[in-house]
Amino acid sequence: MGGPPLMLLYEKLHIKKDTVRGCNAVLSVLQFRVIAYALTGIFTREDLLLYVAVSVAGLSGLCLGSHLAARMDQATFSRVLVGLMLLCCALLFASSAGLTGR
């Protein structure tokens, strides 16, 4: 489980921002499931370049997030978290309505 449900849980339980960021780094950036995908044949050599590119983008986002988090208090972090939940909700509705261009 991840994404908006996890963000809602963090917000409602008033989890500190450093804990949220640490959990998300482990769950999102490290991508332990890729090992299982590689072992089962779901992840192939052709996927390697894409995975490396996405990993670099994820690590760049992690660095940017660390920089921004250092300048943000807990209340601001909570507002940003709620904003991201609303954005994810809007994108989900747009996708289900066929507004994604696909």
Side-chain angles (χ1 to χ4, degrees):
M1 177 178 79
L6 196 56
M7 291 172 18
L8 181 61
L9 177 69
Y10 291 149
E11 175 61 24
K12 292 303 172 193
L13 294 177
H14 303 287
I15 306 294
K16 292 184 178 185
K17 67 177 182 174
D18 292 334
T19 303
V20 172
R21 294 185 63 253
C23 289
N24 284 340
V26 170
L27 294 173
S28 300
V29 176
L30 297 180
Q31 297 290 327
F32 291 113
R33 69 188 127 201
V34 170
I35 295 169
Y37 291 168
L39 292 174
T40 60
I42 296 171
F43 178 77
T44 63
R45 278 187 180 240
E46 292 79 31
D47 300 325
L48 184 62
L49 184 59
L50 177 62
Y51 181 71
V52 168
V54 170
S55 295
V56 168
L59 289 172
S60 299
L62 183 64
C63 292
L64 178 63
S66 293
H67 179 72
L68 294 174
R71 303 180 186 313
M72 193 180 299
D73 63 4
Q74 186 67 39
T76 304
F77 182 77
S78 291
R79 286 192 298 273
V80 169
L81 202 57
V82 168
L84 288 172
M85 285 187 286
L86 292 172
L87 176 63
C88 288
C89 182
L91 291 173
L92 182 62
F93 283 132
S95 176
S96 67
L99 301 175
T100 60
R102 286 187 148 195

